[in-house]
């Protein structure tokens, strides 16, 4: 592995014009594809294998042309204080608005509140349901403007008017906070390298990689039915890993230069050593993201595969484009104190020739070498090694305390009730709850398939009677039959809000009652609707968690055994990951469900955590956690392989890599934290969760728990059974197989400037 990557790095450095041209061409091709691609619609959300999805599919089959995928809007009207909507003035204003709504070009139908029974009991609140021919993400701006204009005209008559539903839904956009995250990353890189050129390389290559990845996703979005959040998540992860991978290559290249190697040789060795770590770190991220497919939720699978593709691009760019651009940058990539490395060879000759006529001076007594001050990484590693038990117990206890709220996590999918109170969607949601009860915003759709029964209508009457007798039922609407008369829809309005435990129990009670009806009549009863789909999705994700963990952790465990040639080090890595991800989940619950510090992060509405959050967080964080494990521990193993004692190897590894790992973590945290400013609740919570998880994993697990455990294990940390050692492939991540570059053509002239660059923290 190291030899192959070494040759790749040298080739990219030597043929840099060709390599850069290839990547620029790929970026241009992806950009043209994105610009000419048809506009992507809303991604269809389905949960195969669940009862709610089967019922939804049955509705599409038995009730064709109902526009189940079309956008809907609820225009909610409230009368002024002391008045009612059934009075002539109120009724005139509402019906005028309904007439105006029907004029929309993409409108399929508009219900009159007075004929559809959509007026509250106290006659102060009513709503008109507007159905469209196209999904919400495909609505033209003119249709949304017409909807808002009709509402504004009704407000002019004195009514309170708000709009709910997905007709106003738009694709989430990136904002200024994401740019701030990139700016923070730039500052960290400048501080780390002390050079604008060295700092700019990781940013430039990461942006090129993200540009190719996101443009490719945009170009394929319509064909592959990719949702609008797919590109945002791919950009989030692609930026973070792209900057980090390039950072490690550039840092190792500078270290090789500081040892006196020429540019091409230094590039080859940087890619052969740090590049090996990049490859295996990238593989763990890809495994974790692609492994999301085991959940069998198409939208989640597409998100994972798209993000994994962006990670692959980031790895390839780090191995090829980074050394190519280093070749163009030349001397400007060198450490600031290595400027004499280019001047010493010729400068010394001119200096001696100029002063050759002077009489030789008496030799001075040799000056005692000045002891180099240990950097922060060295001092920290020595501190942990002296007190490994105390550090380990303190860190585990702290992460355990932060993880406590995760035991109270409530899962669900967001609706208008989770929107900020400043939005019209949220105000419409609250008005409907006020006028028709808290369960009105989450009705349950009960589908009765009586096709194989002798008396379909009798079976449907039995279903309706059983439904009315259940607890927590506020209303049961009359059945609506299909054209064949053998399939019916009954809408059940719960008495409790959609995300409550009582509503979840009601769904279970309806399904239990339906099983009894099937035994009596042969009719099949199923429950669907947004609320039931949310419940089924949460349950499916919960059931998939253990198989997903087994698959991803198992594959990554085997991969890390190959990398580290150890059993205990990968085991420690997996256990440390569990600590960090549980702590991150606890922090997410505390902020987004309990509301702690929510005002500081712009969380206006607390509620259940998005159903996909736990498993998505586990997948992404596992891959990123293994990044730091590979980057940090490979340097420790490299020192151990070269004969250093266990404690000394830990110190050496931290001396060379602590600064870079710290910078990489700060950059990744900054990039993820930038998405906390998003107005999309899902993006905000994922950005916060990922930033928190990276903080815990990098600074608590990898920088504290890892050296403490390695210090306690000593040489046992690198134990590997003999039979396993014989069958494992030798991937040579440490670069032992690279030929020694000690010839005159590969080394710069020796001199004071060729001393290794101090690794500052």
């Amino acid at each position: 592995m190291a030899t192959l990557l070494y040759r790749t790095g040298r080739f990219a450095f030597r043929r840099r014009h060709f390599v850069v041209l290839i990547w620029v061409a790929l970026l241009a091709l992806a950009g043209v594809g994105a610009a000419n691609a048809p506009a992507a619609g809303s991604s269809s959300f389905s949960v195969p294998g669940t009862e709610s999805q089967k019922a939804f599919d049955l509705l599409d089959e038995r009730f064709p042309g109902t526009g189940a995928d079309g956008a809907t809007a609820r225009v909610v009207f409230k009368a002024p204080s002391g008045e009612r909507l059934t009075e002539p003035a109120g009724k005139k204003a509402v019906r005028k608005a309904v007439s105006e709504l029907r004029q929309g070009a993409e409108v399929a139908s508009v219900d009159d509140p007075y004929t559809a029974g959509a007026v509250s009991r106290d006659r102060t609140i009513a709503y008109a349901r507007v159905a469209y021919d196209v999904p919400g993400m495909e609505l033209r701006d003119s249709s949304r403007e017409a909807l808002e204009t009709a509402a504004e005209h009704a407000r002019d008559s004195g009514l309170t008017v708000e709009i709910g539903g997905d007709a106003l839904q738009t694709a989430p956009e990136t904002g200024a906070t994401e740019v701030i995250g990139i700016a923070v990353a730039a500052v960290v890189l400048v501080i780390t390298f002390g050079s604008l050129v060295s700092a700019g390389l990781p940013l430039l290559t990461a942006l090129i990689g993200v540009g190719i990845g996101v443009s490719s996703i945009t170009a394929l979005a319509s064909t592959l039915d990719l949702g609008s959040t797919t590109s945002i998540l791919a950009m989030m992860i692609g930026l973070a890993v792209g900057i980090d991978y390039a950072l490690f290559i550039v840092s190792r290249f500078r270290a090789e230069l500081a040892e006196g190697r020429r540019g091409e040789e230094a590039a080859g060795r940087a890619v052969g050593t740090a590049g090996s770590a990049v490859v295996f770190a990238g593989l763990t991220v890809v495994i974790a993201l692609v492994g999301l497919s085991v959940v069998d939720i198409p939208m989640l699978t597409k998100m994972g595969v798209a993000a994994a593709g962006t990670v692959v691009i980031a790895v390839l760019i780090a191995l090829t484009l980074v050394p190519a651009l280093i070749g163009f940058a030349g001397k400007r990539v060198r450490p600031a104190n290595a400027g004499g490395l280019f001047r010493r060879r010729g400068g010394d000759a001119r200096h001696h020739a100029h002063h050759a006529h002077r009489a030789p001076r008496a030799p001075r007594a040799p000056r005692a070498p000045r002891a180099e001050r240990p950097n922060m990484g060295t001092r920290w590693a020595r501190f942990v090694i002296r007190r490994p038990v105390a550090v380990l117990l303190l860190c585990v206890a702290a992460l355990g305390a932060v993880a406590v709220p995760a035991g109270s996590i409530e899962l669900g999918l967001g609706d208008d009730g989770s929107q900020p109170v400043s939005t019209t969607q949220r105000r419409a949601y609250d008005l409907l709850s006020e006028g028709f009860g808290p369960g009105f915003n989450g009705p349950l759709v009960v589908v009765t398939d009586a096709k194989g029964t002798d008396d379909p209508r009798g079976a449907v009457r039995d279903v309706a009677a059983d439904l009315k007798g259940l607890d927590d039922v506020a209303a049961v609407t009359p059945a609506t039959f299909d054209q064949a008369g053998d399939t019916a829809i009954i809408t059940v309005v719960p008495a409790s809000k959609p995300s409550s435990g009582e509503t979840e129990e009601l769904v279970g009670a309806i399904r239990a009652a339906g099983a009894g009806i099937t035994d009596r009549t042969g009719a099949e009863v199923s429950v669907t609707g947004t609320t039931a789909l949310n419940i089924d999705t949460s349950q499916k994700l919960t059931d998939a968690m253990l198989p997903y963990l087994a698959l991803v952790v198992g594959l990554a465990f085997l991969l890390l055994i190959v990398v580290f040639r150890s059993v205990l080090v990968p085991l420690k890595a997996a256990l440390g990951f569990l600590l960090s991800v549980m702590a991150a989940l606890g922090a997410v619950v505390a902020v987004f469900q309990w509301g702690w510090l929510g005002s500081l992060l712009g969380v206006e509405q607390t509620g259940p955590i998005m159903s996909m959050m736990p498993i998505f967080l586990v997948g992404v964080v596992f891959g990123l956690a293994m990044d730091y494990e590979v980057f940090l521990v490979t340097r420790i193993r490299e020192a151990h392989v070269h004969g250093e004692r266990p404690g000394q190897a830990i110190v050496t590894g931290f001396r060379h890599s602590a600064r870079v790992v710290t910078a990489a973590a700060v950059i990744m945290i900054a990039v993820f934290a930038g998405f906390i400013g998003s107005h999309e609740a899902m993006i905000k919570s994922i950005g916060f969760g990922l930033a928190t998880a990276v903080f815990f994993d990098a600074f608590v697990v990898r920088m504290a728990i890892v050296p403490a455990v390695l210090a306690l294990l000593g040489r046992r940390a690198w134990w590997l059974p003999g039979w396993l050692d014989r069958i494992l492939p030798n991937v040579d991540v440490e670069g032992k197989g690279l030929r020694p570059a000690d010839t005159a053509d590969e080394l710069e002239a020796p001199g004071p400037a060729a001393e290794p660059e101090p690794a500052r923290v």
Side-chain angles (χ1 to χ4, degrees), residues 399-413:
L399 291 178
V402 179
V404 168
S408 304
I409 190 170
E410 298 176 5
L411 300 178
L413 294 178

Side-chain angles (χ1 to χ4, degrees), residues 342-687:
F342 288 88
R343 299 189 300 269
R344 180 71 61 184
R345 301 178 69 180
D348 281 352
R350 291 189 297 270
H351 174 83
H352 291 306
H354 179 72
H355 297 285
H357 65 280
R358 294 187 179 181
R361 296 181 179 179
R364 294 182 179 180
R367 181 180 299 178
R370 185 177 62 181
E372 182 181 337
R373 182 174 178 266
N375 63 17
M376 182 66 75
T378 300
R379 297 196 298 273
W380 172 252
R382 289 173 178 169
F383 170 80
V384 174
I385 290 173
R386 287 196 301 268
R387 302 172 181 84
V389 176
V391 171
L392 180 62
L393 293 178
L394 178 63
C395 291
V396 171
L399 291 178
V402 179
V404 168
S408 304
I409 190 170
E410 298 176 5
L411 300 178
L413 294 178
D415 56 13
D416 286 346
S418 61
Q419 297 276 356
V421 293
S422 58
T423 62
T424 185
Q425 295 96 321
R426 172 61 189 277
R427 292 194 293 266
Y429 183 97
D430 291 340
L431 284 176
L432 290 173
S433 296
E434 176 188 343
F436 301 93
F440 185 80
N441 285 292
L444 305 176
V445 179
V446 180
V447 183
T448 304
D449 181 6
K451 191 173 185 178
T453 64
D454 297 332
D455 183 11
R457 293 189 175 272
V460 172
R461 284 195 298 270
D462 289 345
V463 172
D466 286 358
L467 293 176
K468 292 177 181 177
L470 296 177
D471 294 335
D472 204 54
V473 172
V476 177
T477 65
T480 301
F481 285 86
D482 65 344
Q483 291 184 351
D486 54 17
T487 305
I489 299 174
I490 302 175
T491 301
V492 177
V493 179
S496 303
K497 62 181 182 179
S499 59
S500 66
E502 292 83 359
T503 300
E504 184 174 350
E505 293 175 1
L506 175 59
V507 171
I510 293 175
R511 288 171 175 170
I517 293 174
T518 301
D519 294 338
R520 295 198 312 267
T521 65
E524 296 183 2
V525 178
S526 54
V527 186
T528 188
T530 302
T531 302
L533 188 63
N534 289 353
I535 294 171
D536 289 347
T537 301
S538 299
Q539 186 61 48
K540 183 163 187 175
L541 288 166
T542 301
D543 294 341
M545 181 66 78
L546 286 180
Y548 174 71
L549 276 175
L551 173 67
V552 173
V553 176
L555 289 176
F557 183 80
L558 295 176
L559 184 65
L560 293 180
I561 288 179
V562 174
V563 174
F564 297 128
R565 306 195 75 79
S566 165
V567 174
L568 297 180
V569 171
L571 180 61
K572 165 197 60 62
L575 294 177
F577 151 74
L578 290 176
L579 279 173
S580 59
V581 78
M582 289 304 298
L585 277 176
V588 169
V589 171
V591 173
F592 291 89
Q593 184 176 311
W594 293 359
W596 293 4
L597 303 178
S599 58
L600 296 178
L601 299 175
V603 180
E604 298 184 21
Q605 178 64 31
T606 60
I609 305 302
M610 184 187 67
S611 299
M612 295 183 185
M613 166 62 80
I615 200 163
F616 186 82
L617 190 65
V618 165
V620 176
V621 172
F622 182 79
L624 301 180
M626 295 306 103
D627 276 5
Y628 299 118
E629 181 75 13
V630 170
F631 290 135
L632 182 62
V633 180
T634 49
R635 203 64 191 256
I636 296 174
R637 174 168 171 76
E638 184 176 340
H640 173 74
V641 167
H642 287 85
E644 295 187 7
R645 297 187 307 275
Q648 184 183 1
I650 295 172
V651 174
T652 299
F654 270 71
R655 181 171 67 250
H656 289 293
S657 59
R659 176 182 61 148
V660 181
V661 169
T662 300
V666 172
I667 289 169
M668 195 170 285
I669 291 169
V671 172
F672 288 150
F675 289 85
I676 297 176
S678 172
H679 298 297
E680 191 76 14
M682 182 179 73
I683 301 298
K684 180 188 290 287
S685 61
I686 288 178

Side-chain angles (χ1 to χ4, degrees), residues 238-288:
L239 267 178
V241 300
I243 294 174
D244 278 6
Y245 294 165
L247 166 64
F248 281 96
I249 298 291
V250 173
S251 177
R252 187 59 183 255
F253 174 77
R254 285 160 55 97
E256 296 293 335
L257 285 181
E259 293 181 5
R261 292 187 174 88
R262 288 182 180 274
E264 183 177 331
E265 175 69 11
R269 285 183 167 268
V271 176
T273 52
S276 298
V278 166
V279 169
F280 284 101
L283 277 176
T284 58
V285 180
V286 170
I287 288 173

Side-chain angles (χ1 to χ4, degrees), residues 71-79 85 90-91 93-104 107 109-114 116-120 124-132 139 143-157 159-168 416 424-433 435-436 440-441:
T72 59
R74 279 177 172 174
V75 182
V76 187
F77 307 92
K78 184 176 182 179
L85 292 177
K91 184 177 291 188
V94 170
R95 283 188 163 158
K96 181 179 179 181
V98 169
S99 176
E100 187 174 351
L101 288 170
R102 286 173 176 162
Q103 306 305 314
V107 172
S109 63
V110 180
D111 295 337
D112 186 321
Y114 301 100
V119 182
S120 64
T124 60
I125 297 176
Y127 69 91
R129 182 180 182 274
V130 184
Y132 291 88
L139 272 179
S143 295
R144 294 192 180 95
E145 291 171 1
L147 178 63
E148 293 171 343
T149 300
E152 191 61 37
H153 289 167
R155 292 189 188 104
D156 293 340
S157 64
L159 301 180
T160 299
V161 185
E162 305 295 346
I163 306 172
D166 62 351
L168 296 182
D416 286 346
T424 185
Q425 295 96 321
R426 172 61 189 277
R427 292 194 293 266
Y429 183 97
D430 291 340
L431 284 176
L432 290 173
S433 296
F436 301 93
F440 185 80
N441 285 292

Side-chain angles (χ1 to χ4, degrees), residues 2-3 5-11 13 253 256 262-275 323 738:
T3 303
L5 294 178
Y6 166 81
R7 293 171 179 168
T8 301
R10 288 179 64 110
F11 173 83
F13 186 95
F253 174 77
E256 296 293 335
R262 288 182 180 274
E264 183 177 331
E265 175 69 11
R269 285 183 167 268
V271 176
T273 52
L738 297 183

